[in-house]
Amino acid sequence: MSNVLIIESSARQQDSFSRQLTEQFISQWREVHPADLITVRDLAVNPIPHLDANLLGGWMKPEAQRSAAEQSSLQRSNELTDELLAADVLVMAAPMYNFAIPSTLKAWLDHVLRAGVTFKYTETGPQGLLAGKKAYVLTARGGIYAGSAADHQEPYLRQVMAFIGIHDVTFIHAEGMNLGGDFQEKGLNQARAQLSAVA
């Protein structure tokens, strides 16, 4: 049995293309892997605070010196990090907002990229500690950006995943969602076809 962690980040609940891809992923994964545990964390429904002084204090101060707010921030970070550590498969659903990822997803990443927990510093540089995990990134984009200089999603997320040791990353892009004509249908169908081979 494997643990699958799904991170939703679309601000929209209805008519969200990235959520449609997530629904397809969950449905087909459960069909092939019925015993697997799937955990969904919805960052739109339950937003995570952005990195602040309380979280930094929770990480860096000895327990006896932490304020109540710092201890609470640390506990939240621990909960999120523990979910990631327990996952064998990570799925990030990420609509493109202003050429990048939603700020809610960035806040989640800021909580789980932790020195000594998900990566460590060595004499030869940083080393990821989450080797062996598989990640899927399901994106939805208003235009067509794959492979262009305007795509700041995929390069950033690949770097972040590699930094913590996750090198097996598959991107599935639903592009052209806001373009006229047949672009939306074509882009969504292409993404669904790619996704159908995942499980």
Side-chain angles (χ1 to χ4, degrees), residues 36-198:
D36 284 4
L37 175 64
I38 297 178
T39 301
V40 179
R41 179 166 287 277
D42 194 325
L43 303 177
V45 174
N46 295 298
I48 296 166
H50 291 289
L51 179 64
D52 60 12
N54 287 327
L55 182 54
L56 292 175
W59 285 341
M60 297 177 181
K61 291 181 182 179
E63 183 176 358
Q65 297 178 16
R66 293 179 200 135
S67 68
E70 289 168 343
Q71 184 63 33
S72 177
S73 294
L74 176 61
Q75 289 173 347
R76 180 177 55 245
S77 179
N78 287 343
E79 177 184 350
L80 298 170
T81 305
D82 287 345
E83 278 184 346
L84 177 58
L85 291 172
D88 302 293
V89 178
L90 171 65
V91 180
M92 287 184 285
M96 178 180 277
Y97 291 167
N98 299 317
F99 307 104
I101 62 174
S103 63
T104 51
L105 181 56
K106 177 60 165 61
W108 179 79
L109 290 167
D110 286 340
H111 277 71
V112 301
L113 269 69
R114 292 176 56 180
V117 182
T118 55
F119 72 94
K120 66 179 180 179
Y121 292 109
T122 72
E123 293 180 354
T124 57
Q127 176 184 334
L129 299 177
L130 303 188
K133 298 183 187 297
K134 168 68 181 171
Y136 298 95
V137 182
L138 315 178
T139 78
R141 291 126 171 246
I144 298 175
Y145 297 99
S148 76
D151 181 359
H152 302 290
Q153 274 188 325
E154 182 169 341
Y156 170 70
L157 290 174
R158 281 196 183 279
Q159 180 173 347
V160 166
M161 291 294 98
F163 187 74
I164 57 176
I166 303 177
H167 299 279
D168 187 357
V169 185
T170 298
F171 280 79
I172 296 175
H173 302 299
E175 298 208 288
M177 296 300 96
N178 292 339
L179 300 180
D182 297 329
F183 284 102
Q184 183 184 110
E185 182 179 3
K186 180 180 179 182
L188 192 57
N189 285 342
Q190 287 179 339
R192 288 190 179 281
Q194 288 179 282
L195 192 53
S196 67
V198 162

